[in-house]
Amino acid sequence: MSSSPSAANLLALLRRNAASPAVALRLFLHLSSAASPAPPRSTSFLARLLAAQPAAAADALLPRLLRHVLSFPDPSPHLLALLSCSNVLPLRLSLPAFRSLRALASAPPPPTPVYNRLILAALRESRLDLVEALYKDLLLAGAEPDVFTRNLLLQALCDAGRMELAQRVFDAMPARNEFSFGILARGYCRAGRSFDALKVLDRMPSINLVVCNTVVAGFCREGHVEEAERLVERMRAQGLSPNVVTFNARISALCKAGRVLDAYSIFKDMQEEWQQGLPRPDQVTFDVMLSGFCDAGFVDEARVLVDIMRCGGFLRRVESYNRWLAGLVRNGRIGEAQELLREMTHEGIQPNSYTYNIIVSGLCKEGKAFDVRRVEDFIRSGVMTPDVVTYTSLLHAYCSKGNITAAYRVLDEMAQKGCAPNLFTYNVLLQSLWRACRTTEAESLLERMSERGYRFDTASCNIIIDGLCRNSRLDVAMGIVDGMWQEGSAALSQLGNSFLSVVSDSSSRQRCLPDRITYSILVSALCKEGRFDEAKKKLLEMIVKDITPDSVIYDTFIHSYCKHGKTSLAVKVLRDMEKKGCNPNTRTYNLLIRGFEEKYKSDEIIKLMGEMKEKGISPNVMTYNSLIKCFCERGMVKKALPLLDEMLENEIVPNISSFDLLIKAFCKIADFPSAQIVFDAALRTCGQKEVLFCLMCTEVSTYGRWIEAKNILEAALEMRISIQSFPYKQIIAGLCEVGEADHAHSLLKLLIAKRYTFDPAAFMPVIDALSNKGKKQDADMLSEKMMEMADYNDDLTTDSGKTIPGSRKHDHAKNGQSDWRALLHRDDSARTIMKITKRVRTGWGQRGNVYEHKQLQSDDFYVLENTG
């Protein structure tokens, strides 16, 4: 009688112990041997059982199973059984089984499904090199690739951006299915080649909705909206109704291109004309439209959309709230963002870590130390549980301002709270130390990383290489890059023994090889120093090392040549990159156009823009802005104005810079009516009304157009726009200087009535003017109001150390300018002002407090309302 159980009995034993995989493995090892091997079905079952365990347990148990299987006289059936479940096995565990099988001389080649599973696993882990190697091995083994195999290879080539080779594989396929066409079309769209994707669609036996949606989205992303519209019409003509995915792709692409109003037009049609066959907006439609409004600065429009979502039940997910929250933070509406947090709690929507990280990141990016302290208070208040992203955002904020001490404090707090920093956290601090030339502290940080078991990756090495280049140690950086090819991160030992502790791990040799970013850093540094010949050698070295230069590398050469005034060489680089098969993009041409812009060569810019159109490269708003700037600086503003219409005809939305250039140019030549026309067009096009009003107000003030400036400022006040950056004091003083004291007086009263807080110094010119005109009562009332506002602001600053938003007092102190008290002692009309001030203070003392005194005034404009 055999000592080993039958196949059925062993499988039954394993199933009974399925709850304890380690026990099942011990049974398998004990009951099977070289003399009596287990049946392959048991091997497959046990492999699936072990693979379902946590990663640490699976990594420990599965290799033991593999070693045991290899001890059998004929392990090939068991290896095939293991590979049959490679769809659940990590590649690092299934690949050794495959290699063991291929090493057996007597074993038959694995069947095609086994190769398919391995290739699919390699794709999941982005091992595109392994996909190609497995496919070649399949052919060498004599196995026949099926459609699924070729589709996987096609996908790998598309993911790697190797579209020419992907096209050849596609053309050589003996049989294709709809997935084959879809994979290639999606690859072309991701590569920015939607017209090539359309050719793939044209070759399909029958039109497919998914592929059509892919190409529509591609056209929209590249700005070819008319082509997208034609394809949608073609879909309808062939009986294929565009669905909500089609429309979402169009709306998303238009929003990303800055054409938010066009996107909203489509969205509105979906809402109002769904009975005509248009799909109704879904959750994705609303979310995309909300992000589009927020990204473009249309906060008021976004708020209306949020109300619609709230009524329609589309504001029920934390993801939707996060989009609105991010929009508020991005546009400086921190107070509203905090209100939204409270609304989420009231509506039963549980904020996640990303919710709080939006606020933390938004506050940190405002770049004010005060706000960063607020973030720390927010974190410690207990309303959130900070994670590594939260702390890293906070640390990054301090590092960006050079406050390394505070960044270390955040790092220590993470350790106290049990929140382990990741490598990215350390890299942020490491980058800041290197850029600040604090190499000793950088070495200490490296030792700290070593103590905690961190090992360098290529990103860490790139930070150090970048730091060396920024600190005039370019030759050292180049030596380290050369050493990385042989020694990995151990090449950093050239910087000193303190680096050895974090680079001594032998695995780092494989992990820390130079990549495209490494060479981008070196090429950029060499070009900045004008060492173009050496930069070219590094470009050739990349190619030899099989690192394909991308457009960023070539753009670096173009930018540097233009910066050094060598535009002719920059043009040669453009021609060379085309010969090398690296297609220039909009950014490439913009850099070259910027070089000609600085030389005021508008004719060359026009030629390059024409060349872009011939090659199907869409100019963007930056392209047109360069031409507008060139015309304006040459005094040809009349030629610049039609470019706005041309941009809109080409479905390019002008931005703030476009209007800024034109408004300033028209004001400079005293053509204020044209400046007003541009301003009105900007208000209809852009969402950043505060910036536009401030821009127009400042420009007309600069040229002494005080009445126009006052009208613009009053319009901004009616819209409740913050005037913190407005030249309101200059406008008030200017009105008084040209004898328009009544206008200045009415402007002051409007500021108070609208509950604005502003610098009390703004009162002084009006008090002077009214006193000179004999309007003693009005001057006294203004003086009282000025003193009252100054005392109120002083109390706020003294009590809390804060200044009310909108007040200019803090800004003046910061900029070293005199505050309102200094104006009291100026020479002009000093005696009159001092008498008024003295009388006001005496009056307060006799009558009691300021509030009692105000009740006796008949003009309600002077009631204390400046707390807004």
Side-chain angles (χ1 to χ4, degrees):
M1 183 176 177
S2 174
S3 61
S4 63
S6 66
N9 290 341
L10 179 56
L11 192 58
L13 279 172
L14 294 178
R15 284 175 174 163
R16 281 201 295 272
N17 289 276
S20 303
V23 174
L25 176 62
R26 285 199 296 271
L27 280 171
F28 183 88
L29 299 178
H30 178 69
L31 296 176
S32 61
S33 64
S36 56
R41 285 181 58 197
S42 303
T43 306
S44 174
F45 175 81
L46 184 57
R48 292 179 182 276
L49 194 63
L50 298 178
Q53 299 306 297
D59 287 349
L61 298 175
L62 278 164
R64 293 177 60 192
L65 174 61
L66 177 60
R67 287 194 297 270
H68 186 69
V69 163
L70 289 172
S71 68
F72 295 163
D74 182 14
S76 55
H78 300 274
L79 291 172
L80 283 171
L82 280 173
L83 293 172
S84 68
C85 54
S86 57
N87 58 322
V88 296
L89 289 178
L91 195 59
R92 64 183 180 278
L93 299 174
S94 58
L95 202 55
F98 172 78
R99 288 172 177 154
S100 299
L101 179 64
R102 294 294 287 133
L104 295 174
S106 60
T112 300
V114 169
Y115 279 102
N116 288 347
R117 291 191 186 96
L118 288 170
I119 291 173
L120 190 58
L123 272 176
R124 283 198 300 265
E125 298 185 21
S126 300
R127 293 284 306 277
L128 304 181
D129 56 330
L130 186 58
V131 172
E132 194 170 350
L134 286 167
Y135 188 81
K136 289 179 179 176
D137 189 79
L138 180 148
L139 298 177
L140 290 172
E144 183 64 30
D146 55 18
V147 176
F148 184 59
T149 317
R150 291 188 170 91
N151 282 349
L152 292 175
L153 178 62
L154 196 62
Q155 184 177 333
L157 293 171
C158 290
D159 289 348
R162 301 167 66 180
M163 296 309 303
E164 282 69 25
L165 183 55
Q167 182 68 59
R168 289 202 297 271
V169 170
F170 178 83
D171 292 338
M173 291 176 68
R176 310 183 191 98
N177 55 21
E178 289 184 340
F179 293 104
S180 312
F181 289 93
I183 291 167
L184 187 60
R186 184 171 63 250
Y188 274 126
C189 289
R190 286 179 177 175
R193 298 168 59 179
S194 294
F195 284 99
D196 289 323
L198 182 62
K199 293 177 183 176
V200 176
L201 178 64
D202 293 339
R203 292 176 62 180
M204 294 189 70
S206 60
I207 196 166
N208 177 279
L209 180 61
V210 175
V211 181
C212 284
N213 286 344
T214 300
V215 181
V216 166
F219 277 134
C220 291
R221 268 194 305 274
E222 295 170 32
H224 304 301
V225 180
E226 292 182 1
E227 292 294 334
E229 295 293 343
R230 277 196 282 270
L231 180 53
V232 171
E233 292 304 318
R234 173 181 163 185
M235 291 168 64
R236 289 196 177 101
Q238 297 187 18
L240 194 64
S241 298
N243 61 7
V244 70
V245 177
T246 318
F247 280 84
N248 288 347
R250 296 164 72 195
I251 291 173
S252 176
L254 289 168
C255 287
K256 288 178 181 176
R259 298 172 54 195
V260 182
L261 298 180
D262 290 339
Y264 181 67
S265 177
I266 296 174
F267 174 81
K268 193 175 179 182
D269 288 343
M270 294 173 69
Q271 278 190 303
E272 297 177 355
E273 299 185 21
W274 58 274
Q275 292 179 335
Q276 304 299 321
L278 297 184
R280 295 297 299 269
D282 62 4
Q283 183 70 57
V284 174
T285 321
F286 278 100
D287 286 346
V288 169
M289 196 69 246
L290 177 60
S291 292
F293 276 139
C294 292
D295 292 343
F298 288 94
V299 182
D300 294 333
E301 290 79 357
R303 188 177 289 106
V304 173
L305 181 63
V306 167
D307 290 337
I308 295 172
M309 293 174 67
R310 197 177 278 117
C311 295
F314 290 102
L315 199 65
R316 293 292 179 189
R317 304 188 311 154
V318 67
E319 292 80 9
S320 301
Y321 272 99
N322 284 347
R323 287 173 184 262
W324 179 218
L325 193 69
L328 291 171
V329 171
R330 193 180 302 116
N331 288 280
R333 311 293 179 90
I334 302 299
E336 293 182 57
Q338 291 173 331
E339 286 291 330
L340 187 64
L341 273 179
R342 284 190 279 273
E343 178 188 323
M344 292 176 68
T345 304
H346 182 265
E347 294 294 329
I349 307 295
Q350 183 61 41
N352 55 24
S353 60
Y354 180 62
T355 310
Y356 293 113
N357 288 338
I358 289 171
I359 292 186
V360 171
S361 178
L363 287 173
C364 290
K365 286 177 182 177
E366 286 188 8
K368 300 175 183 177
F370 174 69
D371 285 334
V372 179
R373 290 196 297 272
R374 278 172 54 197
V375 172
E376 288 198 88
D377 293 340
F378 184 66
I379 291 173
R380 297 190 182 104
S381 65
V383 299
M384 65 175 291
T385 302
D387 59 11
V388 66
V389 177
T390 316
Y391 280 117
T392 302
S393 297
L394 189 58
L395 184 141
H396 187 269
Y398 281 123
C399 286
S400 64
K401 288 191 289 291
N403 193 343
I404 307 296
T405 303
Y408 272 119
R409 189 181 68 242
V410 173
L411 201 61
D412 292 338
E413 183 174 329
M414 292 179 72
Q416 294 170 7
K417 299 290 186 181
C419 181
N422 56 25
L423 187 58
F424 180 74
T425 312
Y426 279 111
N427 281 347
V428 168
L429 184 53
L430 192 65
Q431 184 177 48
S432 183
L433 291 170
W434 272 100
R435 289 185 175 181
C437 303
R438 299 166 71 163
T439 54
T440 303
E441 293 178 57
E443 292 180 15
S444 300
L445 181 62
L446 292 173
E447 292 176 4
R448 182 172 180 173
M449 294 170 64
S450 177
E451 292 170 0
R452 286 162 174 74
Y454 290 91
R455 290 292 178 267
F456 269 11
D457 58 5
T458 302
S460 306
C461 294
N462 286 342
I463 287 171
I464 294 176
I465 292 165
D466 180 58
L468 290 168
C469 292
R470 289 172 180 269
N471 288 283
S472 303
R473 299 175 67 185
L474 175 55
D475 292 324
V476 176
M478 292 171 68
I480 289 173
V481 173
D482 291 339
M484 286 173 67
W485 286 109
Q486 288 78 37
E487 305 174 64
S489 62
L492 295 173
S493 61
Q494 297 178 38
L495 297 173
N497 293 332
S498 60
F499 285 80
L500 290 174
S501 59
V502 290
V503 298
S504 58
D505 185 1
S506 60
S507 64
S508 67
R509 297 173 183 267
Q510 299 299 321
R511 192 168 60 247
C512 288
L513 294 178
D515 61 5
R516 188 179 288 114
I517 296 174
T518 316
Y519 279 95
S520 296
I521 294 169
L522 289 184
V523 168
S524 177
L526 288 166
C527 288
K528 283 179 182 177
E529 292 191 5
R531 297 162 61 175
F532 293 108
D533 290 338
E534 294 176 76
K536 291 177 188 175
K537 289 179 181 177
K538 286 298 171 187
L539 182 65
L540 293 174
E541 183 179 308
M542 288 180 67
I543 298 171
V544 170
K545 297 290 187 181
D546 202 26
I547 300 175
T548 305
D550 59 1
S551 61
V552 175
I553 300 285
Y554 287 106
D555 289 351
T556 300
F557 279 99
I558 290 173
H559 175 66
S560 299
Y561 277 134
C562 288
K563 196 171 182 181
H564 285 78
K566 301 178 179 181
T567 50
S568 59
L569 290 176
V571 174
K572 288 182 179 178
V573 173
L574 175 67
R575 304 305 173 212
D576 187 58
M577 68 183 292
E578 292 174 324
K579 291 177 183 176
K580 294 290 196 306
C582 181
N583 296 323
N585 52 29
T586 304
R587 181 177 183 274
T588 309
Y589 274 95
N590 282 349
L591 289 170
L592 189 53
I593 286 171
R594 184 69 180 271
F596 285 113
E597 169 203 319
E598 293 175 357
K599 291 189 171 186
Y600 309 116
K601 293 186 176 181
S602 55
D603 293 338
E604 296 294 334
I605 294 176
I606 293 171
K607 287 180 184 177
L608 285 171
M609 291 178 67
E611 184 178 311
M612 291 175 69
K613 293 174 183 177
E614 288 176 6
K615 295 179 179 178
I617 301 172
S618 301
N620 61 13
V621 66
M622 293 177 64
T623 319
Y624 277 96
N625 283 352
S626 290
L627 185 55
I628 290 172
K629 184 178 179 182
C630 195
F631 279 139
C632 289
E633 290 185 350
R634 291 178 61 188
M636 303 164 65
V637 64
K638 296 292 185 182
K639 293 186 70 173
L641 186 59
L643 293 174
L644 283 182
D645 293 330
E646 184 179 326
M647 290 169 72
L648 294 171
E649 287 173 5
N650 291 332
E651 300 178 334
I652 299 170
V653 180
N655 61 14
I656 291 292
S657 296
S658 315
F659 297 111
D660 178 276
L661 290 166
L662 288 168
I663 288 172
K664 287 180 177 177
F666 277 121
C667 288
K668 187 175 182 179
I669 62 174
D671 188 352
F672 296 101
S674 295
Q676 183 67 43
I677 291 172
V678 175
F679 174 63
D680 293 338
L683 290 178
R684 293 192 299 269
T685 307
C686 295
Q688 303 178 46
K689 294 182 176 59
E690 179 178 332
V691 177
L692 289 169
F693 271 97
C694 183
L695 166 65
M696 191 63 182
C697 194
T698 301
E699 286 304 305
V700 295
S701 299
T702 301
Y703 295 95
R705 311 283 291 196
W706 302 116
I707 297 296
E708 289 97 323
K710 169 185 172 287
N711 293 336
I712 294 168
L713 178 56
E714 286 180 344
L717 294 174
E718 293 295 340
M719 297 175 68
R720 301 300 302 168
I721 290 174
S722 170
I723 60 166
Q724 185 173 359
S725 302
F726 280 63
Y728 62 91
K729 288 196 299 181
Q730 291 90 326
I731 294 171
I732 291 171
L735 287 168
C736 293
E737 286 175 6
V738 298
E740 299 288 352
D742 292 336
H743 282 292
H745 192 190
S746 67
L747 182 56
L748 273 180
K749 291 194 290 185
L750 183 60
L751 281 166
I752 296 168
K754 293 293 183 181
R755 302 174 65 86
Y756 277 88
T757 299
F758 55 92
D759 190 343
F763 286 92
M764 301 305 300
V766 186
I767 292 173
D768 282 344
L770 293 176
S771 298
N772 291 336
K773 293 175 69 173
K775 296 184 177 182
K776 177 176 172 297
Q777 183 178 2
D778 288 341
D780 284 358
M781 290 164 57
L782 282 181
S783 299
E784 293 177 25
K785 185 64 184 175
M786 177 186 69
M787 299 303 299
E788 174 188 324
M789 184 179 290
D791 287 343
Y792 181 77
N793 287 350
D794 284 347
D795 289 341
L796 286 179
T797 304
T798 301
D799 293 343
S800 62
K802 301 176 182 177
T803 305
I804 296 178
S807 171
R808 304 292 293 176
K809 179 174 180 294
H810 177 68
D811 290 341
H812 279 272
K814 179 178 66 176
N815 296 330
Q817 300 175 5
S818 57
D819 63 8
W820 67 275
R821 290 178 184 78
L823 296 177
L824 290 175
H825 300 282
R826 65 187 184 213
D827 292 336
D828 54 316
S829 307
R831 291 182 181 180
T832 303
I833 299 168
M834 291 303 293
K835 284 181 181 179
I836 293 171
T837 305
K838 183 177 180 181
R839 182 167 59 249
V840 170
R841 288 204 178 277
T842 303
W844 286 351
Q846 291 173 347
R847 298 170 185 160
N849 64 49
V850 63
Y851 302 101
E852 293 173 353
H853 174 68
K854 290 304 169 193
Q855 290 174 0
L856 301 176
Q857 303 296 336
S858 58
D859 192 344
D860 61 355
F861 277 119
Y862 294 104
V863 176
L864 180 64
E865 293 179 326
N866 63 316
T867 59

